[in-house]
Amino acid sequence: SLNDKKDTATDAMLMFLVLNASGLCFIPISIMMYRAQAGASNPTDVFLPILLATFIATFVGIVALCIKQRINLLDKVMLAWLGGLALIVAGVVWFFARLPKEEVELYSGFVANALLFSVIVMFLLAGLRKRINMYDAFIEGAKEGFKTAVMIIPYLVAILVAIAVFRASGAMDVITRWMELAVNAIGLDAEWVGALPTALMKPLSGSGSRGMMVDLMSTYGADAFVSRVSAAIQGSTDTTFYILAVYFGSVGVVKTRYAVPYALLADAVGSVAGIIAAYIFFS
């Protein structure tokens, strides 16, 4: 409603889209559910690695866009939020990096369960405090979601066809094979390369990347290192091109400017951060 050029994305729209594409994920419920179904000994142990990866992806996306849009990063409010959150995450990483593996999994599971329960209680208390009928609010939101879903069907058909062509071409298998050879050639651990298809599919298809994560769990076991890497990558960001189709398609924006490269930057950073976080917590 504030946009003078209805077919062109504004700076605020671009920031909103990149924030959504970077997918700051506080509660990765679906990933924990898949791990539980796959027989993981502690389905919530990926909570902190995912939190670390998703925070870094969002942080880098915000900073990159602030630089592009010439937003003052030295503003007191900006520094307080970004700096404060960065210090908290750095403190968490420093604390867990010093613990033995057994204690890392123990503390990670305890903190994850405590935070999950706390967030649910906070939502309920906030609704009670503001005297909101939460059931009615949920129903209204569901109605709006259905209307939006109908509007974006043409955009989703286009992107899903493109994804299907990419998957059927076999290009992903070739990329994974060459990446493993390259990593081995420079003498680095290539155990994470099996999770690369999840990272490559993540910006294109949420269901596709989930399928690859579940396939790794079925093949190697839910507690295998590569399965945990895949889970960390899966939870680090959202599905960029789906997000783009949903939001820009719903308001008729066709000139997306630099939305795609900056969203893909957040995706790439999130995947790398997910791999590193998995090594910190599970290696």
Side-chain angles (χ1 to χ4, degrees), residues 209-253:
S209 60
R210 278 194 302 273
M212 292 177 176
M213 177 187 70
V214 171
D215 181 65
L216 285 175
M217 292 181 187
S218 301
T219 304
Y220 300 101
D223 290 329
F225 179 72
V226 69
S227 299
R228 284 165 160 166
V229 172
S230 181
I233 292 173
Q234 175 70 16
S236 64
T237 57
D238 213 323
T239 310
T240 293
F241 289 100
Y242 176 82
I243 294 290
L244 188 145
V246 168
Y247 287 107
F248 285 154
S250 64
V251 293
V253 169

Side-chain angles (χ1 to χ4, degrees), residues 12 28 40 58 68 73 101 113 123-124 147 155 174 176-177 188-189 199 223 266-267:
T58 302
K68 174 68 176 179
L73 285 168
K101 181 180 178 181
N113 292 328
F123 273 112
L124 294 174
K147 293 176 183 177
Y155 300 91
V174 173
T176 302
R177 197 156 47 244
L188 295 178
D189 181 22
D223 290 329
D267 277 321

Side-chain angles (χ1 to χ4, degrees), residues 1-269:
S1 61
L2 300 177
N3 188 8
D4 294 330
K5 297 180 180 179
K6 299 300 182 183
D7 64 340
T8 304
T10 64
D11 285 354
M13 286 182 181
L14 294 173
M15 180 66 80
F16 178 80
L17 183 126
V18 170
L19 283 171
N20 277 271
S22 66
L24 188 61
C25 178
F26 287 110
I27 312 175
I29 292 292
S30 62
I31 295 174
M32 294 177 185
M33 178 191 70
Y34 285 121
R35 284 179 51 74
Q37 291 174 347
S41 59
N42 182 6
T44 62
D45 62 6
V46 295
F47 176 82
L48 288 175
I50 289 174
L51 182 62
L52 174 63
T54 191
F55 170 78
I56 292 174
T58 302
F59 184 87
V60 170
I62 291 174
V63 171
L65 264 185
C66 284
I67 294 172
K68 174 68 176 179
Q69 296 180 0
R70 298 181 180 179
I71 296 173
N72 183 15
L73 285 168
L74 299 179
D75 179 80
K76 292 181 179 178
V77 176
M78 185 78 75
L79 279 177
W81 275 102
L82 294 181
L85 289 172
L87 286 174
I88 291 172
V89 171
V92 169
V93 174
W94 176 81
F95 174 75
F96 279 95
R98 300 174 66 234
L99 294 176
K101 181 180 178 181
E102 295 77 14
E103 292 188 27
V104 168
E105 294 185 6
L106 176 64
Y107 281 106
S108 177
F110 173 76
V111 172
N113 292 328
L115 285 177
L116 286 171
F117 182 75
S118 299
V119 169
I120 293 171
V121 172
M122 286 169 58
F123 273 112
L124 294 174
L125 291 176
L128 289 173
R129 180 174 177 271
K130 294 190 176 183
R131 301 180 183 277
I132 295 173
N133 187 320
M134 288 174 279
Y135 178 78
D136 288 345
F138 176 82
I139 295 301
E140 287 301 316
K143 289 179 181 178
E144 293 178 10
F146 180 78
K147 293 176 183 177
T148 301
V150 173
M151 292 177 62
I152 65 172
I153 285 175
Y155 300 91
L156 290 180
V157 170
I159 190 63
L160 290 174
V161 169
I163 292 167
V165 171
F166 178 74
R167 292 184 67 182
S169 69
M172 188 165 294
D173 293 334
V174 173
I175 293 171
T176 302
R177 197 156 47 244
W178 280 102
M179 177 62 74
E180 186 171 2
L181 291 173
V183 172
N184 284 325
I186 59 178
L188 295 178
D189 181 22
E191 195 175 356
W192 61 270
V193 177
L196 186 60
T198 304
L200 294 176
M201 186 57 66
K202 184 64 179 162
L204 301 172
S205 169
S207 59
S209 60
R210 278 194 302 273
M212 292 177 176
M213 177 187 70
V214 171
D215 181 65
L216 285 175
M217 292 181 187
S218 301
T219 304
Y220 300 101
D223 290 329
F225 179 72
V226 69
S227 299
R228 284 165 160 166
V229 172
S230 181
I233 292 173
Q234 175 70 16
S236 64
T237 57
D238 213 323
T239 310
T240 293
F241 289 100
Y242 176 82
I243 294 290
L244 188 145
V246 168
Y247 287 107
F248 285 154
S250 64
V251 293
V253 169
V254 294
K255 297 177 182 178
T256 61
R257 299 169 65 198
Y258 48 83
V260 173
Y262 279 81
L264 289 178
L265 170 65
D267 277 321
V269 170

